[in-house]
Amino acid sequence: MKAFLRRDRLIPLLEALSRQIEVIAPVATEAGPVFATWQGQTLDLKTKILSPPTEFLLPHKEVLFRYIQEAGRYTFEEEEIPPRLLFGIRPCDLHAIAVLDRIFGEQPLDQAYFRRRRATALVVQNCIAPGRECFCDAFEAGPQARDPCDIQLTDIGDGYLCEAETPAGILILNAGADLLQPVGSAHLQEKARLLQEARGSMPQDRSCAQIKEAMQRADWEALGKECLGCGGCTFVCPVCHCFNIFDLGVPDGERLRCRDSCLLSGFSRLTGGANPRRTPGERLHHWYQDKYEDIEQIIGLPGCVGCGRCHLACPAAINRVNLTVESRREVRR
């Protein structure tokens, strides 16, 4: 199903949807745009949000289940996940979700992840103005959505070309059926032109193979001296998924899953105090090896989608693609 939505009719469509389902959308704030529950706030559909929408599928902190002990026996309660709509995510984030689906779909299936995943509809906004840090095309993650979603949106100037790909997507558009207009050939041609321009604007020297070559040449000790070990790149990466698990409460309580980072010094530290990855350089090397080699060997896709968020978040003078230490002025360009 294809339809055209005029720009001034987007808010009425979201209002209609929000009366039926929780809508999570890019919301403008004083500190910058964030994905949040939309309740009429100003939208920001032009800026790539630093904090990825995958945090709504793999939260920084979540209750896996609650346990209650009675007469020596335990009963368990899982959290109910209400239906919601993730609106306005980028194609690179959609590809990250496809990667996470494969990772958490390995046996044994991660039930907590898939409870959220099955409850979430995805509306993707194709990227017609990629940032200078973006290289999603090299990873087949953009600028147009290439992975399954419910609706693709493309901003074609005076409105949005809406393309529903699933029955859920058709239901979403039908919530505002009176707001939609038929699609003409000019709409489709404009979409193709804009996406071709977006592809042409991206650098051609950032493929997975080129990054692997850079890993072979890298001076990890020098990179480790520059790395602050803050873990910022891992917490903005839409694919990073390291976590720790805690049980809180005896005899009744809850089991929590909390996000973690392999770049933090305590992540690989053993009980006796030994640490197989003691230095920042060793941890950074492991992070790259996991993303570009290990994950690909396990699921057939690299653990990078070319979104460039690690470059935006990194306070160090590290070129995240060439793996060289540069001046801060140069690395931010």
Side-chain angles (χ1 to χ4, degrees):
M1 175 182 176
K2 293 182 173 63
F4 177 72
L5 180 70
R6 276 184 12 208
R7 190 174 297 277
D8 61 350
R9 294 183 176 181
L10 175 60
I11 298 302
L13 174 61
L14 292 180
E15 289 174 343
L17 289 169
S18 63
R19 289 192 287 268
Q20 305 175 30
I21 191 174
E22 180 187 9
V23 175
I24 300 166
V27 172
T29 72
E30 292 183 359
V34 297
F35 280 99
T37 300
W38 185 80
Q39 296 175 321
Q41 308 98 307
T42 302
L43 294 174
D44 186 342
L45 296 176
K46 295 186 178 297
T47 306
K48 181 171 68 182
I49 297 175
L50 188 60
S51 184
T54 48
E55 66 184 19
F56 289 93
L57 301 176
L58 186 65
H60 287 279
K61 178 181 177 182
E62 66 175 323
V63 177
L64 295 178
F65 57 82
R66 293 179 174 85
Y67 48 90
I68 303 170
Q69 188 266 128
E70 185 175 357
R73 301 184 65 179
Y74 278 97
T75 57
F76 301 91
E77 298 177 353
E78 294 181 342
E79 185 178 2
E80 291 291 330
I81 308 298
R84 68 257 182 97
L85 170 66
L86 259 179
F87 179 87
I89 69 174
R90 298 301 177 102
C92 56
D93 295 323
L94 176 67
H95 191 62
I97 292 173
V99 174
L100 291 176
D101 285 351
R102 292 197 189 188
I103 291 172
F104 288 111
E106 290 283 310
Q107 295 299 322
L109 196 74
D110 192 302
Q111 299 292 347
Y113 171 84
F114 280 102
R115 280 200 302 272
R116 295 179 185 275
R117 181 70 175 90
R118 286 189 289 265
T120 306
L122 303 174
V123 176
V124 181
Q125 183 185 11
N126 288 325
C127 192
I128 59 173
R132 301 170 79 177
E133 73 284 353
C134 299
F135 52 105
C136 58
D137 189 43
F139 286 79
E140 298 185 355
Q144 180 177 358
R146 309 187 195 189
D147 298 282
C149 63
D150 295 295
I151 296 177
Q152 285 190 43
L153 288 185
T154 308
D155 186 342
I156 55 175
D158 55 346
Y160 300 92
L161 174 62
C162 309
E163 299 172 273
E165 299 185 358
T166 64
I170 294 173
L171 288 174
I172 291 169
L173 291 182
N174 283 341
D178 56 331
L179 303 171
L180 304 175
Q181 298 176 1
V183 169
S185 59
H187 296 135
L188 299 174
Q189 292 170 3
E190 181 64 5
K191 171 193 172 184
R193 183 188 71 80
L194 291 169
L195 291 174
Q196 185 61 35
E197 286 185 359
R199 290 189 185 94
S201 69
M202 293 189 196
Q204 303 301 312
D205 60 347
R206 301 181 183 180
S207 70
C208 187
Q210 289 167 314
I211 294 176
K212 287 180 180 180
E213 291 176 4
M215 290 169 59
Q216 298 300 318
R217 301 189 302 266
D219 183 343
W220 294 105
E221 183 177 355
L223 292 170
K225 290 179 180 178
E226 182 64 31
C227 176
L228 302 180
C230 65
C233 55
T234 62
F235 291 119
V236 300
C237 174
V239 176
C240 280
H241 53 278
C242 292
F243 59 84
N244 209 338
I245 290 180
F246 305 91
D247 286 343
L248 297 182
V250 176
D252 303 338
E254 54 190 20
R255 176 163 292 181
L256 300 177
R257 171 157 65 183
C258 301
R259 291 288 304 278
D260 207 338
S261 169
C262 62
L263 287 181
L264 301 181
S265 61
F267 181 82
S268 55
R269 187 184 301 128
L270 305 180
T271 303
N275 194 332
R277 294 190 288 272
R278 295 181 301 104
T279 68
E282 290 171 333
R283 293 191 288 272
L284 188 62
H285 188 190
H286 166 78
W287 187 74
Y288 271 88
Q289 183 175 341
D290 185 54
K291 298 188 79 63
Y292 296 99
E293 296 181 0
D294 297 346
I295 291 178
E296 187 175 27
Q297 290 177 6
I298 295 171
I299 67 168
L301 294 171
C304 175
V305 297
C307 68
R309 285 186 174 95
C310 56
H311 172 85
L312 295 176
C314 182
I318 297 176
N319 185 308
R320 303 298 298 228
V321 176
N322 297 330
L323 293 176
T324 55
V325 177
E326 301 179 351
S327 71
R328 281 167 175 76
R329 176 181 297 180
E330 188 67 26
V331 80
R332 290 290 171 229
R333 292 171 66 177

